Amino acid sequence: FRFVAFLWKPSVFQKRAAQWRAGVFVFMGALLAMTLYHLVVFLMLREAAYLYLAMMTGIFCIYQGARSGIGPLLLWPNSPYWATHSVVTLIMFVTAAATFFADSFLNARKSHPYWSLALRLLGWANIISGLFGLTDLMIKYYLSHVIGVITSFVVSIVVVRQLRMGSRSARIFIGGWGLTLLSSIILALVGPGILPSNLVTENFV
């Protein structure tokens, strides 16, 4: 388990807490706006990629609320079990939505059917791992990190293969998602202690 402890004077703590909450609310508001935008685009174009993108940003917004403590404080104050189990579940659901998005956006099912099948299976594996997050089994932490790393690498392989074929979608994807893929790998490697826990690695995502 990783944590950082600080001692604050009450007046300083209240000021810093207010600033911190304001920053989290701005970030969550931006994620909600993105979610609504992607939903509108999906309803207009009926392209599944936008639905997966809306699911990803929407769940990621809830994840940020759970991870930051805003969720237990304001959104589900009377649900302690969910508060203590939601972080792993939500981040795996985010990864699942991102995996389905990558498969759809890169049109992998048409150009690389076997890799597309691998992506879809990993998407469901992330969902199952997320459901394990609702249990008290310690294996859920290892399972989530292992599946997260494998998913990131498989998505990377599909992107590289598509780039070699001259795919415009792959160029757009790597431009917009390169750091996202890197951050998911970093996050997955910090958990088991393979990478050190510090300000950069903890917040890179």
Side-chain angles (χ1 to χ4, degrees):
F1 296 97
R2 308 184 308 275
F3 68 93
V4 179
F6 296 95
L7 288 175
W8 302 93
K9 291 182 179 180
S11 58
V12 178
F13 172 77
Q14 293 296 333
K15 181 179 179 181
R16 291 297 294 268
Q19 293 172 343
W20 168 77
R21 282 195 297 269
V24 173
F25 280 132
V26 168
F27 184 48
M28 292 178 67
L31 287 169
L32 280 176
M34 292 170 63
T35 301
L36 292 173
Y37 171 78
H38 297 318
L39 280 175
V40 170
V41 175
F42 166 71
L43 292 173
M44 293 174 63
L45 301 181
R46 298 295 177 174
E47 291 188 12
Y50 288 101
L51 178 61
Y52 294 134
L53 201 53
M55 291 168 60
M56 191 199 75
T57 52
I59 300 171
F60 191 66
C61 177
I62 302 172
Y63 163 77
Q64 287 299 327
R67 184 175 183 270
S68 65
I70 291 293
L73 183 67
L74 300 176
L75 302 178
W76 49 83
N78 298 317
S79 302
Y81 190 88
W82 171 247
T84 56
H85 293 76
S86 57
V87 171
V88 173
T89 295
L90 290 170
I91 196 61
M92 297 315 294
F93 286 176
V94 169
T95 307
T99 306
F100 290 131
F101 167 78
D103 177 56
S104 177
F105 182 76
L106 295 171
N107 199 20
R109 190 174 301 191
K110 181 178 179 180
S111 54
H112 300 289
Y114 292 109
W115 286 106
S116 172
L117 177 61
L119 285 175
R120 282 176 278 135
L121 289 175
L122 282 169
W124 285 106
N126 278 283
I127 291 174
I128 293 170
S129 176
L131 295 176
F132 266 96
L134 297 174
T135 71
D136 292 320
L137 300 173
M138 287 299 296
I139 194 175
K140 66 184 181 183
Y141 299 108
Y142 301 101
L143 189 64
S144 63
H145 288 293
V146 169
I147 293 177
V149 169
I150 293 173
T151 300
S152 300
F153 278 116
V154 172
V155 171
S156 301
I157 290 171
V158 174
V159 172
V160 170
R161 284 177 170 268
Q162 292 286 67
L163 284 172
R164 289 178 176 176
M165 295 176 61
S167 169
R168 180 174 178 269
S169 296
R171 291 197 298 271
I172 295 171
F173 186 93
I174 201 66
W177 282 63
L179 286 176
T180 303
L181 285 170
L182 179 61
S183 70
S184 62
I185 293 172
I186 289 174
L187 183 65
L189 294 178
V190 169
I194 298 173
L195 287 180
S197 174
N198 55 48
L199 183 65
V200 175
T201 57
E202 287 283 350
N203 296 283
F204 197 85
V205 69

